[in-house]
């Protein structure tokens, strides 16, 4: 017999984790800014073709740093002057600019243009950023030291605050619902989408513009990560081979800039206005490693708890998942730990899961990684195709998994449910289950 307290805890757990007790959340708009290009359609096509956007660093200031590769957003594809008035540019960091570009595409894609006060008040923003551009801070410090207080720009603080990308998106489109900011290192983008989905489930909004942005590639940031021995240094002369998730010759991640933004909607709201629906957010899980500030537990215990929490929140069994977009950054410890965690969670079903890491093509976008990779998972669900893991020649995963490599794989199932992972320094983890709408909990 259960005690009264045990019954109360059970009811609370069921009422907050079982899908039929909450509003459904779907994805109706996508926006991407990456080193593979600007625009979700273009980036997706290049990703499926096995192309890579990582290049050699040629700008000054990096000469003595051992890592000489990075993923840069093609400046000629942004059309900043069409998106942002020149008078406003001095107020914005590049991270805010990337977020605005991705949000603009996502809102256009969703065909959501809130006009009335009511529409604006139930549309919110959840956009996070991993780090401010260190160069902006260094330059301001040098200016203060050499030229004095009066030469500091009044826009310095707004440029470096981590909540400003979300603030600029809210201001640009007049969105007056929840204005939420996430900063959980490399899990930021996925946490933002997950938190946004819960705002909708809880009735705080009907529409959320969610994602992450990052524009931190610069000498100081790369020098700092290089000193931690976190970055790839062995492929400076072959930049497209530098990011190599799961491969035995991997030696660290490749920093990259960009942004990924989605429009989330309450299902009935999207259906009633005839919106195109890409996928459904089925479940969202979080965990903490409580192990080490920068290294995961060798068995991936935190990742395992995060994935298990996402499955429980979605009301799914391990056998329901047939695709995983892994966090796998191309670090020796992290990739193996995640693979072990996947095997612990999914067991023998692991061989039926099409697993990939898209960081071989776009590098690691830090605060934007989770949202960009969530978009890739959404597109995989929508189109029934999984992009390949680049530069995987000799797998070194510690367990036997079905990793897509060489070319894209057809995901030809009536029921497509994928899971995407994002893990960050400090031991912060997030996982999300995403499914094709015509099959998922219809």
């Amino acid at each position: 017999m259960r005690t009264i307290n045990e019954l109360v805890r059970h009811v609370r757990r069921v009422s907050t984790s079982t899908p039929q007790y909450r509003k459904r959340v779907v994805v109706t708009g996508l926006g991407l800014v990456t080193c593979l290009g600007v625009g979700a359609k273009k980036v997706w096509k290049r990703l499926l073709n096995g192309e890579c956007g990582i290049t050699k660093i040629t700008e000054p200031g990096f000469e003595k740093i051992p890592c000489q590769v990075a993923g840069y957003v093609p400046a000629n594809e942004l059309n900043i002057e069409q998106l942002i008035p020149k008078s406003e540019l001095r107020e914005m960091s590049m991270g805010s600019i990337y977020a605005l570009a991705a949000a603009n595409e996502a809102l256009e894609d969703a065909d959501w243009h809130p006009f009335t006060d009511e529409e604006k008040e139930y549309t919110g923003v959840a956009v996070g950023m991993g780090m401010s551009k260190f160069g902006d801070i260094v330059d301001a410090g040098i200016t203060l030291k050499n030229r004095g207080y009066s030469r500091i720009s009044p826009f310095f603080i707004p440029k470096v605050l981590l909540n400003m990308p979300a603030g600029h998106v809210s201001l640009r489109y007049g969105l007056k619902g929840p204005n939420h900011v996430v900063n959980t290192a490399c899990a930021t983008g996925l946490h933002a989408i997950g938190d946004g989905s819960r705002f909708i489930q809880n009735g705080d909004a009907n529409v959320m513009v969610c994602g992450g942005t990052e524009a931190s590639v610069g000498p100081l940031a790369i020098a700092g990560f290089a000193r931690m021995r976190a970055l790839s240094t062995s492929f400076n002369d072959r930049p497209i081979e530098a990011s190599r998730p799961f491969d035995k010759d991997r030696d660290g991640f490749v920093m990259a800039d960009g942004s990924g933004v989605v429009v989330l909607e309450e299902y009935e709201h999207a259906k009633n206005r005839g919106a195109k629906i890409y996928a459904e957010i089925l479940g969202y899980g979080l965990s903490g490693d409580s192990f080490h500030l920068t290294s995961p537990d060798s068995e991936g215990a935190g990742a395992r708890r995060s994935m298990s929490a996402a499955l429980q929140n979605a009301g799914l069994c391990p056998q329901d998942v047939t695709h995983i977009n892994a966090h796998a950054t191309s670090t020796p410890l992290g990739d193996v730990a995640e693979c072990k965690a996947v095997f612990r969670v999914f067991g023998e079903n692991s061989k039926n899961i099409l697993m990939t890491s898209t960081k071989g093509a776009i590098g690691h976008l830090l605060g934007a990684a989770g949202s960009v990779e969530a978009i890739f998972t959404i597109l995989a669900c929508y189109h029934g195709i999984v992009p390949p893991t680049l530069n995987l020649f000799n797998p070194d995963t510690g367990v036997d998994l079905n990793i897509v490599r060489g070319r894209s794989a057809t995901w030809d199932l009536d029921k497509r449910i994928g899971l995407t992972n994002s893990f960050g320094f400090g031991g912060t983890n997030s996982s999300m289950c995403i499914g094709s709408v015509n099959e998922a909990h219809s």
Side-chain angles (χ1 to χ4, degrees):
M1 293 286 292
R2 286 177 170 174
T3 67
I4 294 296
N5 286 340
E6 287 174 334
L7 286 170
V8 169
R9 285 196 295 270
H10 173 72
V11 169
R12 285 176 177 170
R13 183 168 61 250
V14 170
S15 67
T16 57
S17 64
T18 307
Q20 61 260 35
Y21 286 91
R22 65 188 189 217
K23 296 180 180 180
R24 295 173 61 185
V25 180
V26 295
V27 182
T28 58
L30 308 173
L32 280 174
V33 175
T34 76
C35 60
L36 275 178
V38 176
K41 289 182 179 178
K42 178 176 184 177
V43 173
W44 181 243
K45 181 178 179 180
R46 295 192 67 192
L47 187 71
L48 294 181
N49 287 339
E51 298 179 51
C52 179
I54 296 168
T55 59
K56 188 172 179 63
I57 295 171
T58 58
E59 61 183 304
F62 296 83
E63 293 82 1
K64 297 182 179 180
I65 301 173
C67 177
Q68 294 288 310
V69 294
Y72 290 98
V73 173
N76 63 335
E77 296 186 22
L78 271 177
N79 296 320
I80 295 176
E81 65 283 352
Q82 297 180 17
L83 180 66
I84 303 167
K86 194 172 182 179
S87 60
E88 297 179 14
L89 280 176
R90 60 182 178 171
E91 305 174 14
M92 296 184 190
S93 67
M94 191 55 71
S96 291
I97 292 171
Y98 291 157
L100 278 169
N104 184 69
E105 182 191 4
L107 287 163
E108 289 289 337
D109 187 32
D111 194 24
W112 179 242
H113 308 283
F115 176 74
T116 67
D117 286 341
E118 182 183 11
E119 289 173 340
K120 291 178 180 180
E121 288 171 6
Y122 65 62
T123 303
V125 180
V127 175
M129 185 162 65
M131 304 189 301
S132 296
K133 184 90 171 185
F134 289 165
D136 292 339
I137 299 171
V138 170
D139 291 345
I142 292 172
T143 297
L144 179 63
K145 181 178 180 179
N146 295 337
R147 303 178 66 188
Y149 157 79
S150 64
R151 305 303 297 180
I152 294 293
S153 168
F155 303 113
F156 166 62
I157 294 298
K159 284 185 73 171
V160 300
L161 288 177
L162 295 176
N163 69 313
M164 282 302 169
H168 282 297
V169 171
S170 175
L171 283 167
R172 175 56 53 89
Y173 301 102
L175 309 181
K176 300 177 181 179
N179 190 314
H180 180 63
V181 178
V182 179
N183 175 237
T184 48
C186 306
T188 295
L190 194 56
H191 276 146
I193 296 174
D195 291 354
S197 71
R198 290 187 173 174
F199 292 150
I200 294 173
Q201 289 168 355
N202 291 336
D204 298 309
N206 283 341
V207 182
M208 289 294 300
V209 181
C210 304
T213 188
E214 196 72 49
S216 57
V217 172
L220 185 55
I222 287 191
F225 280 118
R227 285 291 290 164
M228 293 175 65
R229 298 186 178 180
L231 300 184
S232 174
T233 59
S234 300
F235 299 90
N236 289 334
D237 295 328
R238 293 172 287 162
I240 64 172
E241 298 180 23
S243 183
R244 43 200 316 118
F246 310 121
D247 189 77
K248 73 176 184 63
D249 292 326
R250 66 189 182 276
D251 67 333
F253 68 82
V254 176
M255 283 184 67
D257 285 343
S259 180
V261 173
V262 301
V263 174
L264 303 181
E265 287 191 52
E266 191 274 323
Y267 174 70
E268 292 297 334
H269 182 275
K271 183 179 175 182
N272 289 340
R273 72 181 188 89
K276 174 178 63 179
I277 296 176
Y278 285 101
E280 181 171 3
I281 307 301
L282 301 177
Y284 170 46
L286 309 86
S287 75
D289 284 350
S290 189
F291 178 76
H292 188 274
L293 282 178
T294 59
S295 298
D297 170 79
S298 62
E299 298 300 312
R304 173 179 56 79
R305 290 193 298 272
S306 179
M307 288 185 280
S308 295
L311 289 172
Q312 180 181 352
N313 184 242
L316 297 170
C317 299
Q319 293 77 14
D320 295 323
V321 174
T322 48
H323 166 48
I324 293 175
N325 188 304
H327 177 67
T329 60
S330 186
T331 58
L333 293 177
D335 290 13
V336 169
E338 184 177 6
C339 288
K340 289 181 178 179
V342 166
F343 192 78
R344 285 283 301 275
V345 172
F346 295 95
E348 289 304 312
N349 185 54
S350 299
K351 64 179 180 293
N352 301 317
I353 295 175
L354 296 169
M355 186 160 160
T356 190
S357 170
T358 44
K359 288 186 176 73
I362 62 169
H364 188 10
L365 281 76
L366 306 182
S371 55
V372 169
E373 290 159 22
I375 290 173
F376 292 154
T377 310
I378 290 162
L379 287 169
C381 279
Y382 186 70
H383 293 290
I385 188 166
V386 174
T389 305
L390 300 192
N391 302 316
L392 178 53
F393 304 110
N394 297 293
D396 172 37
T397 60
V399 291
D400 187 18
L401 299 173
N402 181 20
I403 300 176
V404 178
R405 56 175 173 151
R407 64 179 63 183
S408 300
T410 300
W411 189 16
D412 189 17
L413 295 173
D414 291 334
K415 181 178 182 179
R416 292 193 291 273
I417 296 176
L419 180 143
T420 184
N421 286 328
S422 287
F423 314 132
F425 281 174
T428 178
N429 309 306
S430 60
S431 301
M432 183 174 290
C433 294
I434 298 167
S436 48
V437 168
N438 58 330
E439 300 296 339
H441 302 287
S442 294

